[in-house]
Amino acid sequence: AQKITQTQPGMFVQEKEAVTLDCTYDTSDQSYGLFWYKQPSSGEMIFLIYQGSYDEQNATEGRYSLNFQKARKSANLVISASQLGDSAMYFCAMREAVSAAGNKLTFGGGTRVLVKP
Amino acid sequence: DTGVSQNPRHKITKRGQNVTFRCDPISEHNRLYWYRQTLGQGPEFLTYFQNEAQLEKSRLLSDRFSAERPKGSFSTLEIQRTEQGDSAMYLCASSRTGNINQPQHFGDGTRLSIL
């Protein structure tokens, strides 16, 4: 079974508008962390935002915010006021506390975002 | 932070040849990870080091793959007798030990193409 599911393979968004990227996850752990990364066409993976399973408030980092719904096992990324430089692949990833691999990341398949001027 | 550094950025080689990649993590990070990413997919975990100890290897890491991290600093990933299916982006990441909230910081990757 997929541990991280990103159902939107690609999205268009108008510059200056907000966009929501979906992410659902599957784990039996009580303690886990959810991460979002951005990967531009140049290839580097850029860390954007983190949400812990015990965090009571949704994480925010500049124009990025996380809509965390623990009961539904979803952690959607919201990008506000989209900019042309936001065009990239976005990956949701999970780290499970009981993983033997020093908390390796399990990634979803990604969502490609294209910002239109 | 000077960031995670990976070399080379690109490697093109013929099937059957051996290749070696290098990763220099962020200096104060004692955890180092290797991932593989094929086109259109998310990265998949390969192996993990804490200091010089290799603590976990994925089943994706066949016998042709070997990774080292001598002295707990830089790491190398070697692929012997390369096959077409090895063509991918190989990503290295590093992080501090600590809470689950420690993000992994990635390098720019090494893109391997097998002719």
Side-chain angles (χ1 to χ4, degrees), chain A residues 31-33 35 37 39 42-45 47 50 52 89 91 95-97 100-110, chain B residues 9 31 33 35 37 40-45 48 55-56 89 91 95 98-108:
Chain A
S31 179
Y32 52 89
F35 299 79
Y37 284 83
Q39 188 176 42
S42 48
E44 73 270 29
M45 296 283 285
F47 166 67
Y50 164 82
M89 283 289 287
F91 291 97
R95 176 186 290 174
E96 295 165 284
N103 309 135
K104 70 177 181 183
L105 290 174
T106 302
F107 285 84
Chain B
R9 289 296 311 275
R31 288 183 173 177
Y33 305 79
Y35 291 84
Q37 185 179 24
Q41 303 295 319
E44 294 175 295
F45 170 76
Y48 149 70
L55 297 186
E56 178 77 6
M89 174 79 89
L91 293 163
S95 74
N99 293 334
I100 198 170
N101 64 350
Q102 291 294 323
Q104 294 179 19
H105 297 274
F106 284 78
D108 291 346

Side-chain angles (χ1 to χ4, degrees), chain B residues 46-112:
Chain B
L46 291 178
T47 190
Y48 149 70
F49 292 84
Q50 179 147 323
N51 300 313
E52 66 275 9
Q54 188 175 18
L55 297 186
E56 178 77 6
K57 292 196 294 186
S58 163
R59 280 170 287 187
L60 292 175
L61 215 65
S62 75
D63 292 344
R64 297 183 297 105
F65 288 69
S66 62
E68 294 182 340
R69 192 182 182 197
K71 303 178 184 177
S73 55
F74 70 91
S75 175
T76 58
L77 178 67
E78 181 183 14
I79 309 174
Q80 296 182 327
R81 304 181 304 280
T82 52
E83 301 174 354
Q84 294 273 343
D86 296 333
S87 294
M89 174 79 89
Y90 290 83
L91 293 163
C92 177
S94 70
S95 74
R96 290 186 175 91
T97 312
N99 293 334
I100 198 170
N101 64 350
Q102 291 294 323
Q104 294 179 19
H105 297 274
F106 284 78
D108 291 346
T110 294
R111 185 171 297 281
L112 175 65

Side-chain angles (χ1 to χ4, degrees), chain A residues 12-80:
Chain A
F12 287 100
V13 59
Q14 199 67 40
E15 192 178 11
K16 299 181 186 178
E17 292 186 350
V19 62
T20 298
L21 308 184
D22 295 342
C23 173
T24 58
Y25 59 91
D26 181 29
T27 181
S28 56
D29 287 357
Q30 295 301 308
S31 179
Y32 52 89
L34 296 156
F35 299 79
W36 278 90
Y37 284 83
K38 172 185 178 181
Q39 188 176 42
S41 56
S42 48
E44 73 270 29
M45 296 283 285
I46 303 167
F47 166 67
L48 296 178
I49 194 168
Y50 164 82
Q51 180 83 45
S53 59
Y54 291 118
D55 293 342
E56 294 185 351
Q57 292 196 335
N58 287 339
T60 61
E61 193 69 51
R63 294 187 298 112
Y64 305 107
S65 61
L66 227 154
N67 182 3
F68 180 48
Q69 298 185 48
K70 191 171 181 177
R72 298 179 64 179
K73 293 190 176 178
S74 75
N76 298 339
L77 177 70
V78 180
I79 307 173
S80 62

Side-chain angles (χ1 to χ4, degrees), chain B residues 11 13 17-21 77-80 82 112 114:
Chain B
K11 180 71 177 177
T13 192
Q17 298 295 304
N18 299 343
V19 294
T20 300
F21 313 139
L77 178 67
E78 181 183 14
I79 309 174
Q80 296 182 327
T82 52
L112 175 65
I114 307 298

